[in-house]
Amino acid sequence: MPPPVSRSLRPGRNPDSDMKLSNEQKKAGFYEFAIGVPLNIGLFAMLYYWILPEYPGLDSEAARVVFALKCGALPVANIMIAIGAVALGRGTTRAIDPLAGAESRTLQIHIRFLQNTLEQAVIFVLASASLAAFLDGTTIRVVPAAAVLFFVNRFLFWFGYLKDPMLRGLGLSGTLYPILIMSGAALYNALAMIFQG
């Protein structure tokens, strides 16, 4: 018996058609890039330049790292609220048995949100603490601004996910990109420190 032919290699099928974005994926990209990114840049600028206060007494690296770790309370709050939603969803349905396969769609979203938030929160806390060591008493405001963005956008991600999975991109832009920027900045400074002294 011959092996099954891949869908993309079947006669008459254009393999490039599988690589094109669907309308749903285009909609997700619109919410993420056309709305989410500008919205979060504006929110970050407002927090950094006008809303957040000065933070005196953060002249040492240790003080700034501790400050960044304290800002990690916001991502932890996201995790705890998600744990509560999962626990409530399990405790009030047949899904109380995790092996029964009885999770509703809503509970599945809560579980995925919890897992994704936990993963991002760990990276956020590590990246912000690492970056904080390279900042100064003024630029340290990057960290609480990013923490507020994380806190707010995780809920936007969650609510969008519950309404329509393609809408979760709006909240994704305010968590993923700040994490990438902070991680990249920390890595750049770390490499400069290592190789330049």
Side-chain angles (χ1 to χ4, degrees), residues 9-75:
L9 299 179
R10 287 180 186 155
R13 185 175 181 88
N14 182 358
D16 291 335
S17 65
D18 290 335
M19 301 303 291
K20 293 181 180 175
L21 292 176
S22 69
N23 287 336
E24 290 295 306
Q25 291 167 324
K26 289 177 183 176
K27 183 169 80 170
F30 172 78
Y31 281 109
E32 181 176 347
F33 294 106
I35 298 176
V37 170
L39 179 71
N40 282 293
I41 289 172
L43 180 57
F44 178 85
M46 286 173 47
L47 287 164
Y48 188 87
Y49 292 107
W50 296 294
I51 297 175
L52 294 177
E54 296 287 334
Y55 299 102
L58 298 178
D59 296 326
S60 71
E61 289 181 3
R64 291 191 299 275
V65 170
V66 169
F67 177 77
L69 292 173
K70 289 178 179 178
C71 290
L74 291 173

Side-chain angles (χ1 to χ4, degrees), residues 90 111 115 184:
R90 285 205 181 280
I111 293 168
Q115 178 181 348

Side-chain angles (χ1 to χ4, degrees), residues 8-179:
S8 61
L9 299 179
R10 287 180 186 155
R13 185 175 181 88
N14 182 358
D16 291 335
S17 65
D18 290 335
M19 301 303 291
K20 293 181 180 175
L21 292 176
S22 69
N23 287 336
E24 290 295 306
Q25 291 167 324
K26 289 177 183 176
K27 183 169 80 170
F30 172 78
Y31 281 109
E32 181 176 347
F33 294 106
I35 298 176
V37 170
L39 179 71
N40 282 293
I41 289 172
L43 180 57
F44 178 85
M46 286 173 47
L47 287 164
Y48 188 87
Y49 292 107
W50 296 294
I51 297 175
L52 294 177
E54 296 287 334
Y55 299 102
L58 298 178
D59 296 326
S60 71
E61 289 181 3
R64 291 191 299 275
V65 170
V66 169
F67 177 77
L69 292 173
K70 289 178 179 178
C71 290
L74 291 173
V76 169
N78 290 117
I79 294 168
M80 297 309 297
I81 292 167
I83 288 173
V86 171
L88 185 63
R90 285 205 181 280
T92 57
T93 65
R94 285 181 43 242
I96 195 166
D97 177 1
L99 302 179
E103 292 88 357
S104 66
R105 181 182 183 278
T106 298
L107 182 55
Q108 289 177 24
I109 289 173
H110 292 340
I111 293 168
R112 286 176 184 248
F113 171 76
L114 171 58
Q115 178 181 348
N116 184 253
T117 301
L118 177 60
E119 294 164 353
Q120 287 198 25
V122 168
I123 300 169
F124 178 89
V125 170
L126 293 173
S128 62
S130 178
L131 180 61
F134 296 107
L135 298 176
D136 58 33
T138 302
T139 55
I140 191 64
R141 280 187 293 177
V142 165
V143 173
V148 170
L149 286 182
F150 189 99
F151 183 77
V152 170
N153 278 281
R154 287 318 292 166
F155 289 117
L156 290 176
F157 178 91
W158 197 4
F159 299 145
Y161 208 158
L162 288 166
K163 185 171 176 62
D164 179 346
M166 292 300 131
L167 296 178
R168 70 192 193 279
L170 180 62
L172 178 68
S173 62
T175 57
L176 177 62
Y177 300 128
I179 288 171

